[in-house]
Amino acid sequence: MVGTQQLSELFFASSNEHKFQESERILSKLGIQINLFKTTLEEIQSNNLNDIAEKKAINAHDLIQKPVIIEDDGLFIDSLNGFPGPYSSYVYDTIGNKGIMNLLENSQIRDAKFVAIIAYCDDDYGVKLFESSIPGKISSIIEKGGWGHDPIFIPDGESKTYANVSDKDKFSHRAASLTKFSSWFLDMQKDNGQ
Ligand code: IMP
């Protein structure tokens, strides 16, 4: 049995409104409401997405002092030995999707995966991590639409990138991790009589 905190009041800490909007849409269908805690979190330098996510969740919880989730993602490209992985955000802000296409210019092998880690943190459970990855390919052209790496990532089984698939939430890395999180969170709430 956990303490007295209101587990039903859950925050999603991020500076990225796209992530929040998608997460809100996905979680509300699973019966969980979230509120945006708009903030820029400290991001440690590490080759390990789990470590980055864990520290971000602790930082978010220190700031808001309420049950909170954060998300950390990475695009791992096989022929680049997993690059940019944990550095995806920096690579996006510097060389962008065009730079990634240039790196793959002579490569026939375009396999990649998008990884999402949802990290939950509260006073009673500390940090809990939920990880999923979605296999796919880097497209041969940069499609229009979407945000971030959406215009260049084609999930397996689809012919279009995330930017133009009909229902990204059905198979996105975010949806997969949030689904894992939701089943743990709803069970935990039930156990605590909420
Ligand atoms: P972050 O470090 O968790 O912010 O994510 C790493 C990079 O992946 C950032 O540039 C994000 O914008 C990008 N990213 C994460 N999820 C998605 C997505 O669903 N679509 C497109 N880009 C994404």
Side-chain angles (χ1 to χ4, degrees), residues 158 160-171:
E158 295 293 315
K160 294 176 180 166
T161 67
Y162 265 174
N164 291 301
V165 288
S166 58
D167 188 359
K168 180 182 171 186
D169 295 350
K170 253 201 211 149
F171 38 68

Side-chain angles (χ1 to χ4, degrees), residues 5 57-58 61 68 119-129 184:
Q5 64 184 324
I58 292 169
H61 186 254
V68 64
Y120 170 85
C121 187
D122 74 13
D123 287 331
D124 300 308
Y125 288 88
V127 180
K128 304 281 285 181
L129 301 178
W184 173 80

Side-chain angles (χ1 to χ4, degrees), residues 16 19 22 43 49 56 71-75 85-90 92-93 114-115 147-151 162 168 172-174:
N16 183 330
K19 276 191 197 179
E22 288 187 13
E43 188 153 328
L49 228 46
K56 262 172 131 175
E71 181 187 335
D72 205 68
D73 305 300
L75 179 64
Y87 306 101
S88 299
S89 174
Y90 181 69
Y92 181 77
D93 292 343
F114 228 135
V115 178
W147 57 278
H149 299 304
D150 275 355
Y162 265 174
K168 180 182 171 186
S172 77
H173 52 307
R174 175 163 303 103

Side-chain angles (χ1 to χ4, degrees), residues 62-115:
D62 284 347
L63 293 172
I64 194 158
Q65 300 286 320
K66 298 246 167 78
V68 64
I69 52 177
I70 64 92
E71 181 187 335
D72 205 68
D73 305 300
L75 179 64
F76 294 74
I77 301 175
D78 287 9
S79 62
L80 303 179
N81 296 328
F83 182 83
Y87 306 101
S88 299
S89 174
Y90 181 69
V91 165
Y92 181 77
D93 292 343
T94 50
I95 61 171
N97 288 332
K98 179 89 176 59
I100 294 177
M101 296 306 256
N102 290 343
L103 290 174
L104 292 179
E105 208 168 31
N106 298 314
S107 180
Q108 297 303 311
I109 304 164
R110 303 182 78 88
D111 302 271
K113 64 178 178 182
F114 228 135
V115 178

